Amino acid sequence: MKNRVFSGAQPSGKLTLGNYLGALRNWVKLQENYECIYCVVDMHAITVWQDPKELAAQTRQAAAAYIASGVDPEKSILFNQSQVSGHAELAWIFNCIARLGWLNRMTQFKDKAGKNRENASTGLYVYPNLMAADILLYQATHVPVGEDQKQHLELTRDIAQKFNHDFGVDLFPITEPLILGEGARVMSLRDGTKKMSKSDPSEYSRINLNDDSDTIAQKIRKAKTDAELIPGKADLLEGRAEAQNLIGIYAALSEVSRDTVCTEFEGKGFGDFKKALTELAVAKLAPITEEMARIEQDHAYIDGILRSGAEKADAIAQPILKEVKKAVGFLS
Ligand code: TRP
């Protein structure tokens, strides 16, 4: 099987600096060495309530962010999940492969459903089966994943193995995770122990990909830190979650190690450091922000890219889905 990457992100809310450094930037790099399929997973988004108008706008915004970050629709396939019906078809079959016991172990469901579990949608519960379908519909061999999606990828591997075993076929690859480089994990600007998230109620916890320069400056100025100075080595930041996070963001944006950043700012306080971080963040993000704003307005352009991406994705999926149906015993 050919090396093929699949990845997706939900169009639920604004994309953040965390999405850019943790995922998008890596997606762009992967285009050099893999055949890449990138998906805006609108079907995953509706596992919790989405206002229909906002969902459409956010789907376009996510696509614009991918393109503005450097995902090249000529090189890679870019589409929204609901336009390729194979995702839903394969997910149903996987609903019948995955065991209740497997899904009961998923920590993300427990987090997302919260205390009111009885009121969670059934879609939220089988969310990981749909994710397995996303990946295996294209026989993807590699998936770039962050820490929070590792358990879902494990489940994908279990589903692939059980399907192959139960039906005596060798249809699905056992997909490998691609672990992302340093600085992949960007934390909240208000609490260095929590992931930077588009769903955090505080706007000041995150930098959005479409924040303007003034907003970025203001958020960095207000970011939580401590009164200590910057040490000469990154190890010495241990126990200072917020300091670690800001140094990590600087390192990731400038693509150097945390140690290099510490050496550069050794003995300085966070007042000075934040000024430098603001300049760097604005310089790196402004071109993306501008490009994103320009693309986002052009609905015809984005919709055209997504539609043609969906056609290309469907062309890969159809023969695989046909094999799956044959293996299961569905007449066609
Ligand atoms: N569950 C992923 C997230 O919330 C999004 C996703 C859906 C995904 N399908 C995928 C990621 C397939 C990788 C591969 O981040």
Side-chain angles (χ1 to χ4, degrees):
M1 277 176 214
K2 197 171 166 181
N3 278 342
R4 183 180 283 151
V5 159
F6 183 96
S7 199
Q10 293 194 44
S12 45
K14 291 173 174 172
L15 288 157
T16 69
L17 179 66
N19 299 111
Y20 177 66
L21 292 175
L24 287 179
R25 204 174 56 169
N26 296 293
W27 291 10
V28 174
K29 289 189 187 142
L30 289 170
Q31 296 181 116
E32 290 162 25
N33 298 313
Y34 293 88
E35 176 190 353
C36 297
I37 305 177
Y38 296 128
C39 186
V40 183
V41 292
D42 48 6
M43 289 161 65
H44 276 104
I46 65 162
T47 55
V48 297
W49 170 253
Q50 302 293 332
D51 178 83
K53 277 207 192 76
E54 303 241 314
L55 181 63
Q58 285 170 4
T59 300
R60 288 196 184 100
Q61 189 176 74
Y66 296 3
I67 298 168
S69 303
V71 169
D72 179 354
E74 300 282 315
K75 262 195 215 157
S76 303
I77 296 178
L78 175 57
F79 73 109
N80 59 310
Q81 191 182 26
S82 59
Q83 288 206 64
V84 178
S85 62
H87 291 257
E89 293 179 68
L90 190 57
W92 177 258
I93 294 171
F94 288 172
N95 285 344
C96 305
I97 298 287
R99 308 287 91 185
L100 277 179
W102 299 2
L103 289 180
N104 283 339
R105 285 197 290 274
M106 296 294 115
T107 55
Q108 186 171 298
F109 174 75
K110 290 176 199 166
D111 291 345
K112 283 202 181 173
K115 287 196 188 78
N116 199 358
R117 211 194 255 224
E118 295 290 306
N119 197 39
S121 76
T122 51
L124 189 65
Y125 188 69
V126 293
Y127 176 118
N129 296 342
L130 177 59
M131 180 162 158
D134 297 340
I135 296 165
L136 296 174
L137 183 61
Y138 305 98
Q139 294 173 327
T141 53
H142 295 84
V143 172
V145 275
E147 204 51 49
D148 62 325
Q149 295 299 317
K150 267 194 190 153
Q151 197 184 31
H152 290 161
L153 189 64
E154 279 298 320
L155 186 94
T156 301
R157 293 157 61 92
D158 290 342
I159 289 175
Q161 209 141 30
K162 184 165 165 57
F163 185 98
N164 286 346
H165 176 267
D166 287 358
F167 296 107
V169 291
D170 190 19
L171 239 169
F172 293 126
I174 308 304
T175 307
E176 298 285 341
L178 286 172
I179 308 295
L180 310 169
E182 190 175 10
R185 202 161 156 80
V186 178
M187 312 305 278
S188 157
L189 299 179
R190 305 299 313 163
D191 175 353
T193 63
K194 281 198 329 207
K195 189 175 151 178
M196 182 180 282
S197 162
K198 49 197 168 194
S199 52
D200 190 310
S202 167
E203 262 299 312
Y204 282 95
S205 70
R206 63 179 159 266
I207 292 172
N208 298 313
L209 277 187
N210 61 356
D211 282 345
D212 61 28
S213 304
D214 289 345
T215 309
I216 293 176
Q218 203 179 23
K219 286 177 175 177
I220 294 178
R221 199 169 343 109
K222 293 206 174 184
K224 196 174 159 200
T225 42
D226 55 44
E228 312 212 355
L229 302 179
I230 294 172
K233 274 196 145 309
D235 283 353
L236 301 171
L237 289 165
E238 203 51 51
R240 298 167 64 189
E242 285 79 18
Q244 239 167 2
N245 186 36
L246 293 186
I247 301 279
I249 291 174
Y250 193 101
L253 281 171
S254 52
E255 300 193 64
V256 299
S257 72
R258 288 158 198 247
D259 276 336
T260 305
V261 180
C262 284
T263 313
E264 194 182 332
F265 290 94
E266 182 172 10
K268 295 228 166 88
F270 273 92
D272 290 336
F273 179 77
K274 281 177 168 181
K275 287 193 191 108
L277 179 59
T278 300
E279 253 174 55
L280 177 66
V282 168
K284 292 279 176 181
L285 296 180
I288 298 174
T289 306
E290 281 163 26
E291 180 67 355
M292 200 174 140
R294 194 183 64 76
I295 297 171
E296 207 184 329
Q297 294 172 3
D298 194 344
H299 291 189
Y301 170 72
I302 297 182
D303 295 2
I305 297 235
L306 294 176
R307 205 173 307 117
S308 91
E311 278 166 19
K312 288 185 240 170
D314 193 57
I316 299 175
Q318 280 309 329
I320 298 170
L321 199 56
K322 201 168 166 193
E323 288 295 313
V324 172
K325 289 180 177 175
K326 197 171 111 197
V328 172
F330 290 164
L331 291 179
S332 64

